Amino acid sequence: MKRTIRQKAASVALAVMLVLGGGLLAGAAQATVEAQPAFAAQKGAWKSSSGKWWYAYNDGSCAKSGWASIGGSWYLFDNAGWMKTGWQKIGKSWYYLKSSGAMATGWQQVGGKWYYLNGSGVMAASKWIGDYYVDGSGAMATNKWIGKYYVGADGKWDRSTGSGTTNSSTVYWVDSGKVYHTTKDCPSLSRSKNIHSGTVAQSGKSRACKNCS
């Protein structure tokens, strides 16, 4: 009789242990799953072949036939997917891609000459960039006259040379115009809106209006 009671007690204890043990094992397994770190999938990776570079996306495709933003920079790829470098003309605009392939912006020295690429990468041409002038080829002008203004060996406008408008003089212009005006009452500005004022360098215009100069 005592043995029977003991056997029942042992059976109950074993059942409890199995239940509790199963719960503990399940909890341990759950803890193991939740502790596994979750890594974000990569968007792609650079690959090279025969000295040329291309960018492979994780879905099996690759960047090609235009621009692609990668790692915070813009890159240009041809129709086969090869990354381009150097000067590239798209439509009527020129862009410069560094040896890394990244699109250049701001002042860049290329082949011993300085060029200015705006925020979208387009090369500036035939205009003033602050106190510096870039000619039709996009290269910064040096040691030459730009209309009434002279730029020195460093390309900067020399305000002590020439008979142009002085730095303190105010000129007027509109964004769509090709010239600056020495007076706001110029007939050419009579129907214009959003007229700006400042120095010649700030206007970005290379010559004065013939009607008011």
Side-chain angles (χ1 to χ4, degrees):
M1 184 67 175
K2 290 182 178 180
R3 173 178 285 185
T4 302
I5 294 174
R6 288 175 183 164
Q7 288 177 340
K8 289 183 177 180
S11 297
V12 172
L14 178 60
V16 172
M17 288 178 64
L18 289 174
V19 173
L20 292 176
L24 290 172
L25 289 173
Q30 183 66 25
T32 301
V33 171
E34 292 178 350
Q36 188 70 21
F39 295 98
Q42 287 183 313
K43 293 183 179 180
W46 284 103
K47 297 181 182 294
S48 63
S49 178
S50 302
K52 297 189 292 185
W53 288 89
W54 57 290
Y55 192 79
Y57 293 117
N58 285 351
D59 63 3
S61 63
C62 68
K64 62 180 181 179
S65 304
W67 294 99
S69 179
I70 301 171
S73 296
W74 285 96
Y75 297 83
L76 184 63
F77 298 86
D78 65 18
N79 292 338
W82 297 114
M83 181 192 78
K84 293 187 176 185
T85 60
W87 288 108
Q88 302 292 332
K89 188 176 184 180
I90 302 177
K92 296 182 179 181
S93 301
W94 283 96
Y95 298 79
Y96 183 72
L97 308 175
K98 302 176 184 179
S99 58
S100 66
M103 183 189 76
T105 59
W107 286 105
Q108 300 288 329
Q109 188 175 34
V110 183
K113 297 182 179 180
W114 286 93
Y115 299 84
Y116 185 80
L117 297 308
N118 64 28
S120 65
V122 176
M123 181 194 76
S126 303
K127 66 182 301 182
W128 287 93
I129 307 297
D131 288 343
Y132 301 84
Y133 185 80
V134 290
D135 61 23
S137 71
M140 182 183 73
T142 59
N143 294 320
K144 66 183 299 184
W145 289 93
I146 309 298
K148 297 179 180 180
Y149 308 94
Y150 185 79
V151 292
D154 60 354
K156 190 173 183 178
W157 171 27
D158 184 354
R159 292 180 172 84
S160 66
T161 304
S163 58
T165 304
T166 64
N167 184 45
S168 59
S169 298
T170 299
V171 297
Y172 306 88
W173 71 92
V174 292
D175 293 332
S176 60
K178 296 183 178 179
V179 299
Y180 63 83
H181 305 264
T182 56
T183 173
K184 196 173 183 179
D185 297 325
C186 176
S188 299
L189 290 175
S190 60
R191 297 183 179 181
S192 299
K193 296 180 180 180
N194 299 320
I195 300 174
H196 306 290
S197 63
T199 64
V200 172
Q202 290 173 328
S203 75
K205 314 299 180 182
S206 59
R207 57 191 177 87
C209 171
K210 294 181 180 180
N211 295 330
C212 61
S213 61

